Amino acid sequence: MAEAEAVQLKEEGNRHFQLQDYKAATESYSQALKLTKDKALQATLYRNRAACGLKTESYVQAASDASRAIDINSSDIKALYRRCQALEHLGKLDQAFKDVQRCATLEPRNQNFQETLRRLNTSIQEKLRVQFSTDSRVQKMFEILLDPNSEADLLEKAANNLIVLGREEAGAERIFQNNGVALLLQLVDTKRPELMLAAVRTLSGMCSGHRARATAILHAVRIDRICSLMAVENEEMSLAVCNLLQAIIDALSGEDKREHRGKEEALVLDTKKDLKQITNHLLDMLVSKKVSGQGRDQALNLLNKNVPRKDLAIHDNSRTIYVVDNGLRKILKVVGQVPDLPSCLPLTDHTRMLASILINKLYDDLRCDPERDHFRKICEEYITGKFDPQDMDKNVIAIQTVSGILQGPFDLGNQLLSLKGVMEMMVALCGSERETDQLVAVEALIHASTKLSRATFIITNGVALLKELYKTTKNEKIKIRTLVTPDKTILYSVATTLVNCTNSYDVKEVIPELVQLAKFSKQHVPEEHPKDKKDFVDMRVKRLLKAGVISALACMVKADNAILTDQTKELLARVFLALCENPKDRGTIVAQGGGKALIPLALEGTDVGKVKAAHALAKIAAISNPDIAFPGERVYEVVRPLVRLLDTQRDGLQNYEALLGLTNLSGRSDKLRQKIFKEKALPDIENYMFENHDQLRQAATECMCNMVVNKEVQERFLADGNDRLKLVVLLCGEDDDKVQNAAAGALAMLTAAHKKLCFKMTQVTTQWLEILQRLCLHDRLSVQHRGLVIAYNLLAADAELAKKLVESELLEILTVVSKQEPDEKKAAVVQTARECLIKCMDYGFIKPVS
């Protein structure tokens, strides 16, 4: 009965297979296998299920099923050939060759077997040639690099080639198999900066996207050694090692998003222990005196990026809980550092702000009140443990820690202000004779004074001291902080003064004819004061920034609405915009909390104030790392003000810088792209792509290049009855390199995402082929690479379309490009051209030359 049902299920599976319902066919064959004990029937079922696996690209399963059929009947020619096909797709060419060889022996006249035999033989020979060529190149490079007598230009070339090899899967594997990690460590031991950098960058490439190799490299190099390399003063080296650690973390945690095949897919590695060890070493770096300021910043960057959840919908926040329990005190120590004290750790201008951002992210990542209470208790114990009547330095550090927390999770900071003695200590430090104590105290009072209840305490107990301090101190940083007191009229007065200092009020255009007319009628004509000229204004801005005006402004923005009026907000927005004018100053503004302070000014207040604040936000968003400038969920609040600046009623500079800001944001994550899409920015971005103004058109195209990664944006291009794709294709033919580069990037991603768009591209304009050929021959490598990617997408989309391309001059272009010697800069271009030719060979349009 069971055998009859098994036969019936087999027939049912065959019918599903003929109807191309391979999933249903697989299920029928699997059910039949459970019922039958007939060996011949089992072999047929396994063989048939292997065919389903080939159709659904489940090659591992297909190879396994075919092997089971062969185990039952070693001469099963269909099973042998199906295993051969599966093994070929898995890259196991030598095993595939053996299977098809047996097939050809059993049926020597079968042309299909003979053709497969020839093709696999050619592929194996090519693989061996590349392998031996790569092996000898790797060996030669290490010989040059480890020879102390090698010439400088040879050293540089060998180092660059090694980095390129490390980024390619085949090259990385050859380096790894040829004792490359040990040799790279020898390069590190030379202590020569250029060789150390080459070694670290090569290791980064080898770790990217390969969990097993990353694990082996981590164990071979050791995390303590990696961290000691990141701790050095050299900024370039510290950043390179940070990138290496990030590549290792991504590979271990599965964040690299690459598909793994063959052995790598089969390996199941428990990486939790290694990830925990990395986290522990990064936390230890925060409090080590041996670590440079650069190294400490990179450790904080890695913790900021990898510890808190990227999506709050994910339930597991165990990494954050672990860091709170084992590292929060260390992070608090960094936040509480006072640069002028002898005990201070090496810092940069950004270190304390990065630590505040980390505290903020960790606090935001907690899921419930008990977790937040535990976090608060650790902070309370740390701060109260520092208070010591006999040691003023400890008291200063305690207040500096509170000040740092107030720049992070503000609610937590306010809870800490209610601790016994905290506010009193702030006021008492203002009366200290040491400038260091005064500066820390005044900074903390500013952050504390943004709540009306705290402000009342300061008015009662500290205003007299602050006034005296303002009169007696010569330190401008202290002077400017003492001005920010919690009185609405004083806030307005200070804001007005700062507007005058920065010359950030609206200046009416002077019409020369009217000036002459006024002079003729003996009317008073206001003249520009000599100190309102740009050089003097720039000098004042520099002095204000050096004095720490951003911290003061950030605290003024946090004041209660009872204190901070809409008019004052507008004045503060004007000041922020003036301070952001010079791109070199924007890093300082971000480091002192200016980015997040601007968001409420851009969302609330007068219309003029909101526009000015949005413009300042755009300037910061255009060139800053959004994760640092607008930490946590705040980054999503930046989108709406920037989108509002795309209005045609705004001036060209506001449009341009808003587009730059949106470009930077849209390059960070799909969640941000989705937010930009929901704010209905797409029609405005598309309009600016039609602009005659070169810079606006370029900025809009670059923004669209990032946005097309989003599926909903792609749907707009797929929809019938619009010229969106035509516009992008035509922009690829522009004379402006930057516009071409952005448009080609957008087209490359669109054609990679949807085959339909590959066909549509050939229909929207008769110039498409000429434009594509121009891209593939472009002098600028980035444009050329994107053009070649588009060519590959078209070739891969359809055989008929590929034939049309092969019959054009494009084939000659691809051949010429593929024959170039790939150095570090041209590697991607040459490799893509070669992949295009391989695709042509797969179709049988061209044949390899022996």
Side-chain angles (χ1 to χ4, degrees):
M1 191 74 180
E3 293 296 335
E5 191 178 345
V7 172
Q8 192 177 345
L9 283 165
K10 185 199 84 169
E11 296 300 328
E12 182 185 287
N14 291 347
R15 285 195 296 275
H16 286 309
F17 189 90
Q18 286 167 358
L19 294 169
Q20 298 183 5
D21 188 351
Y22 304 118
K23 187 177 179 183
T26 301
E27 288 175 6
S28 296
Y29 296 141
S30 299
Q31 286 176 25
L33 280 165
K34 292 175 183 175
L35 297 173
T36 185
K37 293 183 179 177
D38 184 307
K39 290 292 182 184
L41 182 56
Q42 283 179 344
T44 303
L45 290 166
Y46 280 126
R47 185 175 68 211
N48 290 358
R49 199 166 72 176
C52 294
L54 289 171
K55 292 292 185 181
T56 57
E57 299 183 7
S58 304
Y59 300 120
V60 174
Q61 186 62 45
S64 173
D65 282 341
S67 295
R68 290 185 180 187
I70 294 163
D71 289 341
I72 296 169
N73 179 7
S74 60
S75 298
D76 188 333
I77 199 161
K78 286 185 178 179
L80 279 166
Y81 190 61
R82 283 168 191 170
R83 187 168 73 176
C84 161
Q85 290 174 296
L87 291 170
E88 183 180 0
H89 280 289
L90 291 169
K92 299 175 181 179
L93 302 183
D94 50 344
Q95 294 175 42
F97 185 80
K98 287 177 185 176
D99 280 348
V100 78
Q101 206 170 31
R102 285 180 67 191
C103 292
T105 305
L106 293 166
E107 286 188 18
R109 293 186 180 179
N110 188 312
Q111 289 300 312
N112 199 14
F113 296 161
Q114 294 297 335
E115 180 60 35
T116 306
L117 203 58
R118 281 193 293 273
R119 189 182 72 248
L120 284 173
N121 184 45
T122 304
S123 299
I124 289 168
Q125 294 302 320
E126 177 61 18
K127 187 177 179 182
L128 288 170
R129 187 187 67 76
V130 171
Q131 181 175 316
F132 289 124
S133 169
T134 305
D135 287 351
S136 60
R137 282 170 65 201
V138 169
Q139 189 176 354
K140 183 70 176 172
M141 277 183 258
F142 276 119
E143 283 174 7
I144 294 168
L145 292 167
L146 292 169
D147 183 356
N149 300 317
S150 293
E151 295 177 8
D153 57 339
L154 271 178
L155 272 176
E156 185 181 353
K157 190 174 180 182
N160 288 336
N161 286 341
L162 195 64
I163 294 166
V164 171
L165 264 181
R167 289 172 184 164
E168 298 169 2
E169 175 54 34
E173 192 58 29
R174 297 322 305 164
I175 295 171
F176 186 74
Q177 296 294 346
N178 289 336
N179 196 34
V181 177
L183 293 170
L184 287 167
L185 288 176
Q186 285 185 42
L187 290 183
V188 172
D189 290 336
T190 62
K191 303 298 181 188
R192 294 173 63 178
E194 69 278 14
L195 297 186
M196 292 172 73
L197 270 173
V200 170
R201 286 169 178 165
T202 304
L203 287 168
S204 290
M206 291 169 68
C207 291
S208 294
H210 201 292
R211 184 176 297 179
R213 203 159 51 221
T215 305
I217 287 170
L218 176 65
H219 292 170
V221 183
R222 299 193 327 273
I223 183 62
D224 56 327
R225 187 172 189 181
I226 294 172
C227 289
S228 67
L229 285 171
M230 195 166 74
V232 298
E233 282 286 351
N234 185 313
E235 185 177 357
E236 196 175 11
M237 172 59 73
S238 187
L239 181 59
V241 180
C242 176
N243 290 336
L244 167 60
L245 256 181
Q246 187 60 60
I248 291 172
I249 292 167
D250 285 346
L252 297 187
S253 60
E255 290 291 326
D256 52 81
K257 302 287 188 260
R258 301 193 193 182
E259 290 184 12
H260 302 298
R261 291 185 177 180
K263 292 179 184 177
E264 175 67 6
E265 187 182 57
L267 283 169
V268 180
L269 299 169
D270 184 7
T271 58
K272 289 180 182 175
K273 186 177 178 183
D274 287 328
L275 287 168
K276 188 172 283 189
Q277 190 183 29
I278 291 170
T279 303
N280 286 333
H281 275 81
L282 290 174
L283 291 170
D284 289 342
M285 283 184 74
L286 299 185
V287 292
S288 171
K289 277 229 168 194
K290 295 178 182 177
V291 176
S292 68
Q294 296 290 347
R296 209 175 315 281
D297 283 3
Q298 299 303 347
L300 285 164
N301 281 329
L302 286 167
L303 290 166
N304 266 311
K305 186 171 182 181
N306 298 292
V307 174
R309 291 170 291 171
K310 291 180 175 62
D311 184 353
L312 293 179
I314 299 167
H315 187 73
D316 181 20
N317 69 339
S318 56
R319 284 181 297 189
T320 292
I321 297 298
Y322 181 81
V323 169
V324 169
D325 288 340
N326 297 278
L328 181 54
R329 290 170 184 81
K330 294 173 182 177
I331 302 165
L332 290 169
K333 181 171 180 178
V334 178
V335 166
Q337 292 301 296
V338 181
D340 295 331
L341 293 183
S343 61
C344 185
L345 298 166
L347 306 174
T348 70
D349 292 341
H350 305 288
T351 308
R352 288 188 62 247
M353 179 53 70
L354 286 170
S356 290
I357 290 169
L358 180 55
I359 289 173
N360 190 59
K361 283 189 171 185
L362 293 173
Y363 191 73
D364 284 349
D365 200 41
L366 300 175
R367 291 187 292 112
C368 57
D369 286 341
E371 288 179 0
R372 282 184 277 272
D373 287 341
H374 177 59
F375 192 103
R376 177 179 50 77
K377 282 174 185 173
I378 293 174
C379 294
E380 286 179 358
E381 287 169 10
Y382 182 86
I383 291 162
T384 53
K386 287 289 176 189
F387 284 135
D388 186 346
Q390 307 302 319
D391 190 337
M392 189 56 74
D393 286 359
K394 282 188 174 182
N395 295 328
V396 174
I397 289 168
I399 298 305
Q400 183 82 320
T401 306
V402 174
S403 184
I405 294 170
L406 282 164
Q407 292 176 70
F410 191 66
D411 292 342
L412 173 65
N414 266 317
Q415 287 177 307
L416 297 175
L417 288 173
S418 62
L419 287 173
K420 186 179 179 182
V422 170
M423 293 295 294
E424 290 81 0
M425 180 56 73
M426 287 183 189
V427 173
L429 286 174
C430 287
S432 169
E433 294 181 359
R434 289 197 309 184
E435 276 194 355
T436 300
D437 302 352
Q438 296 169 2
L439 185 57
V440 169
V442 175
E443 179 80 34
L445 282 172
I446 290 170
H447 291 296
S449 68
T450 54
K451 283 287 178 186
L452 203 57
S453 56
R454 312 283 178 215
T456 308
F457 176 90
I458 297 167
I459 291 169
T460 308
N461 299 282
V463 167
L465 270 173
L466 288 170
K467 287 179 179 177
E468 184 60 30
L469 197 53
Y470 180 81
K471 289 176 186 175
T472 56
T473 187
K474 293 180 180 179
N475 187 320
E476 289 189 351
K477 289 184 179 182
I478 296 173
K479 269 184 184 292
I480 198 161
R481 283 160 172 76
T482 57
L483 285 173
V484 187
T485 55
D487 178 288
K488 74 168 74 174
T489 56
I490 297 295
L491 273 185
Y492 185 82
S493 303
V494 171
T496 305
T497 305
L498 291 173
V499 166
N500 287 328
C501 287
T502 55
N503 218 25
S504 51
Y505 44 77
D506 291 327
V507 180
K508 290 182 181 178
E509 186 182 354
V510 177
I511 301 169
E513 290 81 0
L514 291 179
V515 172
Q516 292 300 322
L517 185 63
K519 284 181 178 177
F520 181 76
S521 59
K522 295 183 180 179
Q523 297 292 322
H524 172 66
V525 180
E527 293 183 5
E528 184 183 50
H529 193 280
K531 291 194 176 178
D532 277 341
K533 289 182 179 173
K534 191 174 184 307
D535 289 349
F536 283 102
V537 174
D538 290 348
M539 202 183 304
R540 290 199 294 272
V541 165
K542 290 286 181 196
R543 289 187 68 178
L544 283 168
L545 286 169
K546 192 176 179 183
V549 70
I550 297 297
S551 299
L553 290 170
C555 294
M556 292 165 77
V557 170
K558 289 178 187 174
D560 283 348
N561 286 332
I563 299 171
L564 188 65
T565 63
D566 283 352
Q567 289 72 25
T568 306
K569 287 177 186 175
E570 181 185 319
L571 295 175
L572 295 179
R574 289 176 181 277
V575 175
F576 266 119
L577 181 56
L579 296 172
C580 290
E581 191 62 36
N582 189 337
K584 292 179 181 177
D585 295 331
R586 292 174 201 169
T588 304
I589 292 166
V590 168
Q592 294 179 9
K596 59 184 181 181
L598 272 165
I599 295 171
L601 295 178
L603 297 172
E604 298 170 3
T606 65
D607 289 341
V608 173
K610 287 189 285 188
V611 170
K612 299 283 185 190
H615 193 184
L617 272 177
K619 287 178 180 289
I620 289 172
I623 63 169
S624 304
N625 181 342
D627 295 335
I628 294 174
F630 317 109
E633 297 295 306
R634 289 189 182 93
V635 70
Y636 301 105
E637 297 176 50
V638 179
V639 173
R640 184 171 295 171
L642 297 194
V643 173
R644 284 176 182 165
L645 281 184
L646 297 183
D647 194 321
T648 50
Q649 292 181 353
R650 306 283 164 244
D651 65 47
L653 182 61
Q654 290 171 338
N655 299 154
Y656 175 68
E657 291 187 316
L659 285 166
L660 292 184
L662 289 170
T663 301
N664 196 10
L665 293 178
S666 60
R668 301 304 293 182
S669 70
D670 200 57
K671 200 172 174 185
L672 272 168
R673 287 188 283 273
Q674 191 67 25
K675 175 69 175 172
I676 293 168
F677 183 83
K678 285 184 177 177
E679 291 293 340
K680 299 180 181 175
L682 260 292
D684 291 322
I685 296 169
E686 287 167 357
N687 287 339
Y688 286 113
M689 288 169 73
F690 283 101
E691 265 287 338
N692 289 326
H693 193 287
D694 288 346
Q695 286 179 300
L696 278 175
R697 189 166 70 254
Q698 173 203 322
T701 310
E702 286 175 349
C703 189
M704 185 60 74
C705 179
N706 285 346
M707 288 299 295
V708 294
V709 182
N710 182 268
K711 287 183 180 178
E712 291 188 53
V713 177
Q714 291 170 11
E715 291 297 325
R716 289 170 69 88
F717 281 87
L718 284 164
D720 295 327
N722 69 76
D723 287 334
R724 292 187 182 94
L725 190 66
K726 181 179 180 179
L727 173 61
V728 174
V729 174
L730 292 175
L731 287 173
C732 288
E734 287 275 314
D735 292 330
D736 187 322
D737 282 3
K738 291 180 178 177
V739 172
Q740 271 187 307
N741 195 47
L747 194 56
M749 284 185 276
L750 287 167
T751 50
H754 297 279
K755 286 184 181 180
K756 183 181 174 181
L757 291 174
C758 294
F759 294 107
K760 194 173 179 180
M761 174 185 163
T762 65
Q763 296 160 2
V764 291
T765 172
T766 56
Q767 302 170 40
W768 71 271
L769 187 55
E770 181 191 340
I771 289 169
L772 179 59
Q773 290 171 354
R774 282 178 60 194
L775 291 177
C776 294
L777 284 170
H778 208 282
D779 293 337
R780 186 171 171 181
L781 290 176
S782 61
V783 178
Q784 187 182 22
H785 179 235
R786 292 174 181 201
L788 290 165
V789 171
I790 297 165
Y792 179 83
N793 294 340
L794 297 183
L795 287 166
D798 178 69
E800 283 301 311
L801 183 52
K803 190 176 180 182
K804 191 184 290 187
L805 290 171
V806 169
E807 289 169 352
S808 73
E809 292 176 8
L810 187 69
L811 179 60
E812 188 179 342
I813 294 168
L814 294 173
T815 307
V816 171
V817 175
S818 68
K819 287 181 179 177
Q820 295 180 61
E821 188 63 33
D823 55 23
E824 185 182 7
K825 291 179 181 176
K826 290 183 180 176
V829 168
V830 175
Q831 182 62 29
T832 309
R834 289 176 181 175
E835 286 171 4
C836 289
L837 291 176
I838 290 167
K839 183 56 69 175
C840 294
M841 282 191 281
D842 290 345
Y843 287 126
F845 296 149
I846 60 172
K847 292 184 179 179
V849 179
S850 58

